[in-house]
Amino acid sequence: MAAAAAATATASSGLIRCATGGAPAHGHHQVFRCSAAKPSPLALRHRAGRPAPLQAFPEYDRVTPFDYDGEVDGGDGDDHPREECGVFGVVGDPDATSLCYLGLQKLQHRGEEGAGIAAAGDDGTIKLERGLGLVGDVFGDPARLGKLPGQAAIGHVRYSTAGAAASLRNVQPFLAGYRFGQLAVAHNGNLVNYQALRNKLEAQGSIFSTSSDTEVILHLIATSLSRPLLARICDACERLAGAYSLLFLTADKLLAVRDPFGFRPLVMGRRANGAIVFASETCALDLIDATYEREVEPGEVVVVDRRDMSVSSACLVPHRPRKSCVFEHIYFALPNSVVFGHAVHERRNAYGRALAEESPAPTADVVIPVPDSGFYAALGFSQTSGLEFQQGLIRWHYSGRSFIQPSQAIRDLAVKLKLAPVHGVIRGKSVVVVDDSLVRGTTSSKIVRLLRDAGAREVHMRIASPPVIGSCLYGIDTPSEGELISNRMDLEGVRRAIGCDSLAFLSLDKLHTIYGDEAHELCDACFSRNYPVLPTVPEPVPELVSAFED
């Protein structure tokens, strides 16, 4: 039935051109593979919009999802960018809600501001529970999960800008009712044409209840004239530009969608009882004993019908060049995940080995990582350089956000609470400190001072990624370009600013060499400013004219 629905969508919408492939060993699985078909006139009109350089978009100066209500602060002393979201879904398991809760726990690093779960009950009703805070805080009361019975559920964790006022209205999943029933959605990514779409929808009478770009997707689906739901989703996605990994939940289906460039990860797995699982990272599959099967391909929509557990897929739009976010490997994903087909810890180890080849530190005595994400890069640096590897900094995970402290002096002490030096490893030594990235430089300068205060003779900073010179458009919380230290200073200027004895970054060419033939499939815009998709200029909103005006 699901395969027939996909074929119907192809015929009725005119937006999908697919060819049937073979079925895997598990269950009923009809595969539709994308072809390089001629795009529809609608798609051509969409892509023929008016792209503009980033400098023409002051509202993109801090390029993040459009749901931030507060002032940008220097943050909690963490100099890394932040992933915006993580999504998780399961269908065909009587414990779907509990499994979703566990999956979100494992994806907690992708979002700590809020969490939510939507579940489809056996009576066909979708119920939603969400709240501000960590997953364990939001769902700490077992009674809250008890309100979400059913064999299908989707969940979401999210970040917001450091210092921004948290808003429950923007916590996902979103749940909407329209003429065809209820629909819940969870989104990881960022739409670069959000404002243009919202302006047009509002001019046509749509009313928005959040400031999130995700709500645009629901409005586009609700106003689509296509049938069935798969065709409406394809119709909506043809109008989207940017990054989106989406999970949709209806009374009888769970759908997973990934944008044509594949910016953000989305994987599919299966439990022993046949339940189908989707997640932002494979580590969440491992936790609930689900076997990884494959990625949701860029430009693909996977449909699971929970009535018979049939699985079908179709392509949203013709192929685009794959542009997977390299920062998933560098920092965001957990090291025990497989992302974009690569083990994350192996990628990070390779960055460290390449960094040691490019920028050795011959006078150093010991290599230490900045925990936690610098661990495998430092290990690779040690293996190639022959220098001793030690844990010279211990990270304390329970200190909370230091930006809420009342004075700068107290905030500086809070940094010491988060990162404590091991004096016996550092005192009297020439130390190589390996971190995954350097963004503002604030944390790195504090680490250098911390190590010198602990008795380090020399401090050599080695960064296992290229200099960050551009903001992200595709769902990562990065500072404005004016706040990026490598965008404002040359290498020597950065070295002096953070106070280390020597500083080196992994070069962009060396990073590409690690990926070989796959290098062209990476989105490295934060290092190169080569943006695969630029924002389009929103059309002017027509002014309302009074009926009494001549």
Side-chain angles (χ1 to χ4, degrees), residues 114 169 215-216 250 306 316 340 510 528:
R169 64 178 180 164
E215 192 178 3
V216 160
T250 70
R306 73 186 186 100
L316 293 167
F340 307 136
K510 194 71 169 180
S528 66

Side-chain angles (χ1 to χ4, degrees), residues 33-314:
R33 302 200 182 279
C34 298
S35 68
K38 181 180 178 180
S40 68
L42 172 63
L44 289 173
R45 286 199 304 274
H46 172 65
R47 289 197 293 279
R50 294 180 290 143
L54 289 181
Q55 55 265 31
F57 288 88
E59 69 269 30
Y60 282 90
D61 191 36
R62 184 179 182 88
V63 188
T64 52
F66 302 83
D67 53 3
Y68 303 127
D69 310 309
E71 195 74 24
V72 174
D73 190 278
D76 58 357
D78 189 351
D79 194 32
H80 299 98
R82 284 180 170 164
E83 177 61 68
E84 293 304 332
C85 307
V87 297
F88 187 90
V90 59
V91 57
D93 196 295
D95 296 319
T97 301
S98 295
L99 293 172
C100 195
Y101 166 76
L102 292 171
L104 293 180
Q105 287 268 28
K106 197 63 177 179
L107 298 175
Q108 187 74 84
H109 60 287
R110 300 184 74 91
E112 297 182 357
E113 185 200 61
I117 296 174
D122 294 334
D123 62 354
T125 301
I126 299 177
K127 296 182 179 179
L128 173 67
E129 290 287 328
R130 57 183 182 163
L132 297 170
L134 302 178
V135 177
D137 297 330
V138 175
F139 296 102
D141 183 355
R144 199 157 194 189
L145 286 179
K147 297 177 183 177
L148 300 170
Q151 297 194 33
I154 62 172
H156 187 272
V157 291
R158 74 180 298 274
Y159 259 131
S160 182
T161 306
S167 176
L168 180 60
R169 64 178 180 164
N170 290 323
V171 176
Q172 299 182 36
F174 291 158
L175 176 61
Y178 71 128
R179 66 189 187 279
F180 296 112
Q182 290 179 294
L183 180 65
V185 62
H187 172 209
N188 176 26
N190 187 48
L191 306 179
V192 299
N193 63 338
Y194 156 77
Q195 196 61 57
L197 291 172
R198 178 163 179 158
N199 288 353
K200 185 174 182 179
L201 286 163
E202 288 182 327
Q204 294 170 347
S206 292
I207 298 174
F208 285 76
S209 59
T210 77
S211 54
S212 168
D213 60 341
T214 307
E215 192 178 3
V216 160
I217 301 170
L218 289 174
H219 282 273
L220 291 175
I221 292 171
T223 56
S224 171
L225 299 178
S226 300
R227 297 282 297 273
L229 175 62
L230 176 57
R232 290 194 295 276
I233 289 175
C234 292
D235 189 24
C237 288
E238 274 229 340
R239 292 163 168 81
L240 304 180
Y244 52 91
S245 288
L246 301 163
L247 294 181
F248 293 99
L249 182 65
T250 70
D252 54 18
K253 292 182 178 66
L254 195 155
L255 301 92
V257 181
R258 196 166 169 213
D259 70 76
F261 292 92
F263 287 110
R264 308 255 69 84
L266 188 61
V267 297
M268 175 179 169
R270 191 183 301 262
R271 282 171 52 82
N273 63 358
I276 305 296
V277 185
F278 297 96
S280 294
E281 293 183 34
T282 60
C283 62
L285 305 183
D286 298 336
L287 177 67
I288 64 166
D289 296 327
T291 301
Y292 168 74
E293 289 197 345
R294 66 179 182 89
E295 288 188 292
V296 176
E297 292 297 323
E300 182 185 19
V301 53
V302 179
V303 185
V304 184
D305 191 321
R306 73 186 186 100
R307 294 169 295 188
D308 59 5
M309 291 304 294
S310 60
V311 182
S312 61
S313 73

Side-chain angles (χ1 to χ4, degrees), residues 134 394-402 405 414 417-419:
L134 302 178
I394 305 300
R395 186 173 184 86
W396 180 251
H397 293 274
Y398 310 103
S399 57
R401 289 186 168 185
S402 58
Q405 304 297 336
L417 178 61
K418 288 194 169 187
L419 286 174

